[in-house]
Amino acid sequence: MPKKTVIIGGVAGGATAAARLRRRDENMEIVVLEKGDYISFANCGLPYYIGDVIKSRDALLLQTPEAMKKKFNIDVRTKAEAAAIDPKEHKVLVRSLSTGEEYEETYDSLILATGSSPLKPPIPGIDGQGIFTLWNIPDTDNIKHYMEQHHPGRAAVIGGGFIGLEMAENLHRAGLDVTIIEMQNQVMAPLDYEMAQLLHENIRMNNTRLILEDGVDHFETQNGSTKIHLKSGRIVEAELVLLSIGVRPNSALAKDAGLALNARGGIQVDACLRTSEPDIYAVGDVIEVNHLVTGEKTMIPLAGPANKQARICADNITGSQKTYEGSMGTSVAQVFDLTAAAVGLNEKALLASGRKKGTDYETVVINQKSHAGYYPQATPITLKLLFDKEGKILGAQAVGQDKVDKRIDTIATVMSMKGTTENLAKLELAYAPPFSSAKDPVNMLGFVAENIRNNMVSFVTPAELDLLLQAEHEGVTVLDVTEEAERMVFSIPGSVHMPLGTLRSRLRELNPDKRIVAYCSIGVRSYNAARILMQSGFQKVSVLAGGTSFYKTYHHTASGETPPVFTSAEKSPAAPEPAKDSPQKLQILDCSGLQCPGPIMKVNETLKKMPEGSRLQVSATDMGFARDIDAWCRRTGNTLLSTERQGRENIVTIQKGTASSSAVDAASCPSHNRDDLSAASCPSHNRDDLSAASWPSHDRDDQGKTIIVFDGDLDKVLASFIIANGAAAMGRPVTMFFTFWGLNALRKPEKVHVKKPFIEKMFGFMMPRGTTKLKLSKMNMMGMGTKMMKKVMKSKNVSSLEELIRQAQENGVKLVACTMSMDVMGITPEELIDGVELAGVASYLGDAEQSNVNLFV
């Protein structure tokens, strides 16, 4: 008598198991029970249908019940819910969701492919109109219908996982103003924080707001709009809300049947995918699996493993004894312009397991190109590799625009075959200029990892460098081996500048007793510098991993450090048109494929040969180019007219000199050859700042004022704002940089509930909270002097400090809080008054260099 297999769940694993069973046994009776309306649909394609990338809804339906019956003779029943399982009697109680009828279905073998469901925690208001999850075809139809009927202009995505980020991108593509809200300090959990920062920066470059480390307190629906009240007190409004908080296994049926589950609700299975009941198997999101790197049990809800498990399960039911060894969690996702992929463990997992970097594992971060740099459209890829002392590969991550999946897939293959970092170095991979480089990025990971294992190089990450400088600033030399034009764009504060070509002749200028950390733009030249130093007797030498391109992204914040990059479909700030009688011509410069600092160097060389006021249009595939060229233009006195993205290229238009510099040509300053943008071109003004402000004879009208507010005394803060308002009234740009005790003046007067370590809470308790708590530097007299001062100010009609701050903000004074000082003082962004920007010292110095007055209060 033919055997009978019942499969509960008809998507991914269930449909695959059914088709495989039929190919193995033509006579078996196969029944698929699916409580939804659809089987075998493309879950992963749902966001792209909403974003209109996938045009046809029918394209998402990979199989239909009718097709399964016709092709495979499989009895597929939709709207058929498995209500209970009786393992002893080998029966399933089935309920028809169309008629309410219940009946029993017997089985010889049973496969549970019940999958998972999106988390929907009991947050007040979560069931309001316009709040959705996306998991199946009906969810997709509901969102599509809502968008067509209500035409929402704003969307909020709660959660920064795979579906959340894909939905954010597609909603943005559909024309909505999108905000992503994530409770953790990063999106895309498989990545480590510094790799996720690449995504954070790019998300914001695409004009999408990103709120991190803040969760939803409750939802409030009013007049077709949802107010999302966050735990910080912040409110985000949107007409469409997408919940993407996480998933849970659909294991209630298995639990009620007495099957063994793990602590997270995953069904426990053996290597053959049998549950604790020998005739019941389980596959997909609902089961726990072995992690191939650690050997420990885990949950990895991915479509690829689910399909492989289903195939093995079907083979075993039909007589084989195949085993599923486990999963490494190989994953990939598109996030706006970037692709993010990962395999194995990340550094967070290693640290959480008690392993220590440098003792139990090492990391490598490199910047490479997707294919040969000289071939068009080469784009950067940042890769991170984690490995132990024996060279065993523990995990890898990659972020870039192109061919990221290829690299992670290659590493995953080596890992699955128990390969090492040495094997990565030895891999013979296909090469031609359009596809790769002679030394593929995967080979380069192997080369660098082997260099670490052989003690030829030591790396520090951006985070480790920050800690080094805080802990032993006097004992560390940060060595910049970039060229002069690169240093105009960016330099680490306090670094010593020795271009690589000059290093050998200047070794005596370096103290061999200090630890030296060398850096360049991506890490290649700094590695060469490290080898020079180490072979010249320097013992404590390290290289900044990933170079300044990675360092700048790591320190990226939401404070405006990353300029928005407009796509050709969006409105880009229009470049001012030249006058009809203007001789300006647009010169084209193609820097596509050049890796940082190549594009900047090319722009520098080209502009030197161009006349004042002429325009240069530059195309570059380097993702950091838009940010770097903005800083370079401000530093060199040139004008960035527009920035937009076309495909994989950043297209920027630059005018040589300032926007009004056509009236200030070389003839007006004959002693200064403006075609030469180096410091040597202006010997009488020995300034590193090459902006027009460095030539006094040009009489700049927009010379700014910068004020460092270090002290938190009331009288000193008052003086700072009085000066700032006076300068602003004269039409001058003013930046006030608040650091250390001065930050207290920017604190909100009310208590803000934020999570802090104990010491930081104590700091906050002891320091004055806002302007009303500041004291006088002299004659405070336990607060009496302060009260007298305020009374006199009021009687003399002198504005209070609160009024002065409001006036300053209305007059365009930029209030900047030092992020480093905030960390030290334990002050969070939520505790600061509205309108304050967050930035580091480098940002302040950029404004200071373009000012002619700099005060320290």
Side-chain angles (χ1 to χ4, degrees):
M1 183 177 177
K3 289 187 176 181
K4 178 180 179 181
T5 298
V6 174
I7 302 170
I8 302 176
V11 185
T16 297
R20 180 66 175 175
L21 282 169
R22 176 58 71 224
R23 285 190 287 266
R24 292 274 303 202
D25 189 339
E26 178 62 24
N27 297 315
M28 177 180 286
E29 183 180 355
I30 305 170
V31 178
V32 177
L33 304 174
E34 170 56 51
K35 69 177 182 179
D37 295 323
Y38 304 91
I39 64 162
S40 191
F41 59 86
N43 303 66
C44 301
L46 301 181
Y48 300 98
Y49 173 61
I50 289 174
D52 211 29
V53 176
I54 297 173
K55 303 293 183 181
S56 171
R57 180 181 182 275
D58 291 342
L60 301 172
L61 304 176
L62 306 180
Q63 286 285 359
T64 64
E66 295 76 20
M68 289 287 280
K69 179 65 176 178
K70 186 175 181 180
K71 294 178 182 178
F72 300 104
N73 190 27
I74 294 171
D75 181 4
V76 178
R77 305 173 193 172
T78 57
K79 294 188 176 180
E81 180 182 18
I85 301 170
D86 186 343
K88 302 304 180 186
E89 297 295 327
H90 282 54
K91 293 179 180 179
V92 178
L93 177 64
V94 184
R95 180 183 300 117
S96 171
L97 298 181
S98 298
T99 65
E101 175 194 359
E102 291 188 349
Y103 60 92
E104 290 184 339
E105 195 71 47
T106 62
Y107 66 84
D108 295 302
S109 298
L110 179 66
I111 301 176
L112 300 180
T114 49
S116 57
S117 297
L119 286 173
K120 200 171 181 182
I123 300 173
I126 199 169
D127 294 318
Q129 182 185 14
I131 302 177
F132 301 91
T133 58
L134 179 64
W135 204 246
N136 52 35
I137 296 292
D139 291 342
T140 309
D141 292 340
N142 290 337
I143 295 172
K144 271 281 195 180
H145 179 74
Y146 182 85
M147 292 175 66
E148 291 168 358
Q149 292 294 315
H150 297 275
H151 306 289
R154 298 170 297 180
V157 176
I158 315 298
F162 287 91
I163 292 177
L165 294 179
E166 289 168 349
M167 274 299 294
E169 177 188 351
N170 281 281
L171 290 170
H172 178 267
R173 182 184 282 115
L176 279 72
D177 185 6
V178 180
T179 300
I180 301 171
I181 301 168
E182 168 56 54
M183 187 180 294
Q184 304 301 318
N185 68 343
Q186 66 167 85
V187 301
M188 197 63 72
L191 302 182
D192 284 314
Y193 174 77
E194 71 269 23
M195 297 293 287
Q197 277 285 68
L198 294 161
L199 302 182
H200 299 163
E201 182 179 39
N202 190 254
I203 288 168
R204 289 169 175 141
M205 285 176 68
N206 278 276
N207 307 312
T208 296
R209 282 178 293 280
L210 177 61
I211 299 174
L212 298 173
E213 297 186 271
D214 209 348
V216 178
D217 182 76
H218 66 279
F219 297 97
E220 179 186 359
T221 304
Q222 291 181 348
N223 302 321
S225 178
T226 299
K227 287 186 177 182
I228 306 164
H229 294 260
L230 303 182
K231 293 188 181 298
S232 65
R234 185 172 181 175
I235 298 175
V236 176
E237 292 193 52
E239 290 78 48
L240 188 154
V241 179
L242 192 284
L243 302 174
S244 181
I245 301 172
V247 300
R248 57 173 176 79
N250 294 329
S251 57
L253 188 65
K255 180 180 180 181
D256 292 343
L259 303 185
L261 306 181
N262 66 12
R264 296 173 59 187
I267 300 175
Q268 295 179 343
V269 295
D270 64 13
C272 294
L273 299 168
R274 292 186 186 91
T275 68
S276 54
E277 288 289 338
D279 292 323
I280 302 180
Y281 297 75
V283 299
D285 293 3
V286 76
I287 70 170
E288 71 170 12
V289 297
N290 290 328
H291 197 294
L292 282 178
V293 178
T294 66
E296 299 172 354
K297 298 293 185 181
T298 187
M299 304 283 290
I300 301 180
L302 293 171
N307 280 277
K308 296 174 182 65
Q309 293 156 14
R311 183 182 176 91
I312 291 171
C313 177
D315 286 352
N316 291 338
I317 287 174
T318 52
S320 297
Q321 284 296 312
K322 296 183 178 179
T323 59
Y324 181 72
E325 295 181 0
S327 175
M328 296 182 293
T330 311
S331 58
V332 65
Q334 180 176 307
V335 185
F336 290 91
D337 308 290
L338 297 176
T339 301
V343 61
L345 301 175
N346 56 29
E347 197 165 358
K348 295 192 296 284
L350 290 172
L351 292 170
S353 68
R355 303 190 211 191
K356 295 182 179 179
K357 185 177 179 182
T359 303
D360 303 309
Y361 73 93
E362 293 284 358
T363 66
V364 165
V365 175
I366 62 172
N367 285 308
Q368 293 289 299
K369 286 291 184 183
S370 56
H371 56 252
Y374 56 82
Y375 189 85
Q377 299 296 305
T379 57
I381 299 179
T382 302
L383 301 104
K384 180 174 182 177
L385 186 73
L386 301 97
F387 56 97
D388 66 15
K389 293 295 185 180
E390 286 70 45
K392 177 185 176 182
I393 304 169
L394 304 175
Q397 301 157 42
V399 177
Q401 289 179 273
D402 190 27
K403 300 177 183 175
V404 170
D405 56 333
K406 168 182 175 178
R407 272 62 194 219
I408 286 296
D409 286 345
T410 303
I411 297 169
T413 302
V414 173
M415 290 175 66
S416 68
M417 301 179 72
K418 313 299 182 185
T420 65
T421 54
E422 185 178 4
N423 295 122
L424 293 183
K426 290 180 177 179
L427 281 177
E428 183 177 346
L429 302 171
Y431 161 62
F435 305 103
S436 183
S437 302
K439 292 183 285 188
D440 188 88
V442 172
N443 294 135
M444 291 300 298
L445 277 175
F447 295 153
V448 178
E450 287 299 288
N451 283 341
I452 291 176
R453 293 183 63 216
N454 293 321
N455 298 315
M456 289 185 64
V457 67
S458 170
F459 287 93
V460 297
T461 66
E464 289 167 343
L465 178 59
D466 291 347
L467 290 174
L468 274 176
L469 293 176
Q470 291 173 19
E472 45 178 309
H473 187 275
E474 297 301 321
V476 179
T477 297
V478 181
L479 179 62
D480 179 354
V481 297
T482 66
E483 298 301 315
E484 186 66 40
E486 297 173 75
R487 195 167 171 86
M488 290 182 191
V489 174
F490 177 81
S491 62
I492 296 177
S495 60
V496 176
H497 187 215
M498 294 185 187
L500 181 61
T502 70
L503 182 59
R504 288 183 177 88
S505 63
R506 299 178 62 183
L507 291 176
R508 292 183 179 178
E509 298 177 35
L510 297 171
N511 185 347
D513 295 327
K514 285 189 174 184
R515 180 167 184 174
I516 297 176
V517 179
Y519 75 82
C520 62
S521 60
I522 62 171
V524 176
R525 285 170 293 169
S526 48
Y527 167 63
N528 290 328
R531 294 304 302 153
I532 293 170
L533 292 167
M534 293 172 72
Q535 294 179 84
S536 300
F538 291 80
Q539 301 296 318
K540 297 180 288 185
V541 181
S542 298
V543 172
L544 178 62
T548 55
S549 59
F550 193 57
Y551 182 88
K552 285 182 284 187
T553 293
Y554 176 78
H555 288 91
H556 158 76
T557 68
S559 61
E561 294 174 13
T562 302
V565 178
F566 295 85
T567 65
S568 55
E570 297 172 326
K571 291 183 179 180
S572 175
E577 293 295 329
K580 292 182 180 179
D581 58 348
S582 171
Q584 296 176 4
K585 293 182 179 180
L586 187 66
Q587 185 169 332
I588 306 297
L589 177 64
D590 184 4
C591 295
S592 296
L594 292 181
Q595 188 149 323
C596 178
I600 290 291
M601 302 295 287
K602 282 287 186 183
V603 169
N604 187 45
E605 294 170 6
T606 304
L607 277 180
K608 283 181 181 180
K609 303 170 185 176
M610 295 173 63
E612 190 77 10
S614 55
R615 298 185 177 195
L616 179 67
Q617 186 181 87
V618 189
S619 58
T621 49
D622 179 29
M623 291 296 291
F625 177 65
R627 172 190 60 207
D628 289 347
I629 198 63
D630 180 46
W632 184 86
C633 285
R634 286 187 282 109
R635 184 73 184 270
T636 57
N638 296 294
T639 305
L640 179 62
L641 298 177
S642 66
T643 302
E644 66 180 43
R645 182 172 294 111
Q646 296 179 7
R648 292 177 181 159
E649 293 185 328
N650 289 305
I651 309 295
V652 305
T653 303
I654 304 165
Q655 178 174 302
K656 184 171 181 179
T658 60
S660 60
S661 63
S662 56
V664 186
D665 57 19
S668 68
C669 190
S671 63
H672 304 134
N673 180 6
R674 286 298 303 275
D675 286 344
D676 183 356
L677 297 181
S678 68
S681 67
C682 193
S684 63
H685 305 129
N686 186 17
R687 291 271 307 269
D688 287 335
D689 181 358
L690 300 180
S691 67
S694 62
W695 293 290
S697 60
H698 292 168
D699 193 22
R700 286 279 299 270
D701 288 333
D702 60 346
Q703 293 171 340
K705 319 297 177 185
T706 51
I707 304 172
I708 299 175
V709 185
F710 172 83
D711 211 301
D713 292 327
L714 174 63
D715 43 344
K716 296 177 181 178
V717 175
L718 276 168
S720 301
F721 275 99
I722 290 170
I723 295 170
N725 281 323
M730 296 173 65
R732 301 293 194 259
V734 182
T735 296
M736 300 180 72
F737 188 74
F738 293 78
T739 183
F740 286 97
W741 311 113
L743 288 168
N744 291 313
L746 299 182
R747 295 179 70 190
K748 293 176 180 176
E750 69 275 7
K751 185 175 182 180
V752 178
H753 295 283
V754 291
K755 292 183 179 179
K756 290 185 183 181
F758 175 75
I759 293 179
E760 292 184 9
K761 285 185 178 179
M762 290 301 295
F763 253 117
F765 177 77
M766 293 186 292
M767 292 188 300
R769 188 188 302 128
T771 55
T772 60
K773 302 295 183 181
L774 300 184
K775 300 177 181 179
L776 293 177
S777 61
K778 305 287 186 182
M779 297 175 61
N780 186 58
M781 298 180 294
M782 300 182 68
M784 289 297 298
T786 305
K787 291 180 179 179
M788 292 169 61
M789 168 75 79
K790 291 180 178 180
K791 182 174 177 60
V792 171
M793 290 173 61
K794 186 175 182 179
S795 66
K796 299 293 185 181
N797 291 319
V798 177
S799 297
S800 67
L801 179 54
E802 293 77 19
E803 292 170 334
L804 289 171
I805 293 175
R806 178 181 55 77
Q807 292 167 9
Q809 290 180 308
E810 291 175 352
N811 290 332
V813 175
K814 185 161 66 173
L815 308 184
V816 180
C818 174
T819 51
M820 183 277 291
S821 298
M822 289 174 63
D823 289 340
V824 173
M825 308 288 283
I827 297 175
T828 64
E830 294 79 11
E831 295 176 276
L832 301 182
I833 61 175
D834 294 337
V836 176
E837 298 182 17
L838 308 181
V841 175
S843 176
Y844 161 75
L845 290 175
D847 288 342
E849 286 176 342
Q850 298 193 31
S851 71
N852 65 344
V853 173
N854 186 33
L855 302 177
F856 187 97
V857 181

